Amino acid sequence: MREFTPEYLDHTRRGMWESTAALSPLDLGSRERILDVGCGTGELARLLDAETPGEVIGVDADTELLAVARERTDIPTVAGDATRLPLRDDAVDLAVCQALLINLPDPAAAVREFARVSDDLVAAIEPNNAAVEVSSTVDAEERLEREVREAYLAGVETDVAMGDRVADLFEAAGLTVVDRRTYRHEKLVEPPYSEPAMESAARKASGAGIAEHERELRAAGADYDELRAAWREMGREVVDEMGEAAYRRREVVPFEVTVGRV
Ligand SMILES: C[S@@+](CC[C@H](N)C(=O)[O-])C[C@H]1O[C@@H](n2cnc3c(N)ncnc32)[C@H](O)[C@@H]1O
């Protein structure tokens, strides 16, 4: 199982659901019991909890991430595998996940479990990592991010670009797809820089960010040490431009929101 750090999840989810319009087909206002599968540190679970009058439960296979979720929220969480959920049939009226299916060797098995434990809706919010767009005032950043992304996509063992194919998995599990839409998560960095933006630049300059993907980059046959050195140099350029208030970066990650009915 691929492991995630709380810092990575904080960084990738920051500001993601400032607008929740793309979640309207989940009908959160009328849910009684929602299961967030692969809840991690509870990024989505907290949002669901704020938007529904019902109860939210989180499940994840990583007990360390669940410990962080428990520090951050009172939402009940339980350790469990997405492909063998520790819930009875029809226990909830919405089973949902965010960035889970792309990390599973057998995402179809998880979708079948979602359909078993929900008596109404099933939803998945999954990114298409092959369609991420980055533009930056640091030229090397655009080029290196593309290079690293392509190597990562080649080296990762699961289908991290499946976003727009989730509907096929739903149909194969006997669900009726009732809505699908693309939510473009846009992240802007511009002056005055926020604390997280400065931390992110420091992570580029130190090589901490790229180290999260070392295994996949090596598996793709990339020269990791060379890539890391170029990445750190690019990070230092970013930090320098920030010092002159000249740095600007825009990233868009497309997430497919797929909703099915049991
Ligand atoms: C990219 S993170 C997403 C976390 C959270 N949903 C979010 O959007 O911030 C993927 C999560 O899926 C969990 N996960 C991976 N394989 C799993 C499995 N077989 N069963 C349950 N959880 C799993 C990981 O531990 C991690 O928390």
Side-chain angles (χ1 to χ4, degrees):
M1 186 178 83
R2 210 183 136 205
E3 294 197 349
F4 297 89
T5 60
E7 294 73 27
Y8 173 83
L9 295 176
D10 290 350
H11 173 67
T12 49
R13 299 290 170 262
R14 192 166 289 121
M16 176 158 173
W17 288 116
E18 274 164 15
S19 161
T20 56
L23 298 179
S24 61
L26 276 62
D27 202 10
L28 296 173
S30 71
R31 298 295 101 192
E32 289 178 5
R33 210 156 178 239
I34 302 176
L35 180 69
D36 176 10
V37 188
C39 64
T41 53
E43 291 285 335
L44 179 68
R46 284 191 294 282
L47 168 76
L48 298 170
D49 194 46
E51 300 275 324
T52 182
E55 182 190 357
V56 177
I57 312 160
V59 172
D60 203 283
D62 186 328
T63 51
E64 289 178 24
L65 293 180
L66 287 181
V68 176
R70 287 188 199 114
E71 280 166 18
R72 295 181 179 179
T73 167
D74 295 334
I75 296 167
T77 55
V78 48
D81 189 323
T83 59
R84 279 172 291 129
L85 287 170
L87 271 86
R88 61 172 170 77
D89 295 359
D90 301 334
V92 299
D93 57 356
L94 169 63
V96 58
C97 66
Q98 175 171 279
L100 168 76
L101 301 178
I102 58 162
N103 292 299
L104 298 180
D106 188 0
V111 174
R112 286 195 295 274
E113 274 293 87
F114 289 17
R116 178 184 69 76
V117 301
S118 175
D119 67 2
D120 190 20
L121 296 182
V122 169
I125 304 158
E126 296 291 327
N128 179 354
N129 284 310
V132 172
E133 298 159 28
V134 173
S135 57
S136 167
T137 50
V138 172
D139 288 344
E141 186 171 22
E142 272 182 46
R143 182 176 45 75
L144 273 171
E145 291 217 6
R146 190 169 50 249
E147 206 177 310
V148 166
R149 190 167 45 254
E150 282 168 6
Y152 175 77
L153 287 168
V156 70
E157 284 159 2
T158 60
D159 185 358
V160 295
M162 72 155 54
D164 56 358
R165 277 171 279 117
V166 171
D168 300 339
L169 289 181
F170 274 33
E171 276 162 10
L175 295 163
T176 305
V177 175
V178 291
D179 200 282
R180 47 189 299 194
R181 55 186 70 192
T182 306
Y183 171 65
R184 291 165 60 81
H185 178 204
E186 184 183 57
K187 295 184 243 184
L188 287 178
V189 178
E190 55 194 4
Y193 305 113
S194 64
E195 194 64 37
M198 290 193 282
E199 278 166 22
S200 169
R203 280 168 62 75
K204 283 188 174 132
S206 72
I210 195 170
E212 305 245 3
H213 302 312
E214 178 176 352
R215 190 160 58 93
E216 291 83 3
L217 297 176
R218 287 196 190 277
D223 184 335
Y224 175 74
D225 298 321
E226 195 177 296
L227 214 45
R228 181 171 180 271
W231 187 270
R232 292 189 61 189
E233 194 179 321
M234 171 273 282
R236 288 192 286 273
E237 259 186 79
V238 169
V239 171
D240 287 349
E241 279 202 9
M242 277 181 145
E244 292 158 15
Y247 178 66
R248 283 184 168 69
R249 178 183 193 275
R250 176 177 178 268
E251 176 180 311
V252 179
V253 183
F255 280 80
E256 297 298 323
V257 181
T258 311
V259 183
R261 180 156 271 126
V262 176

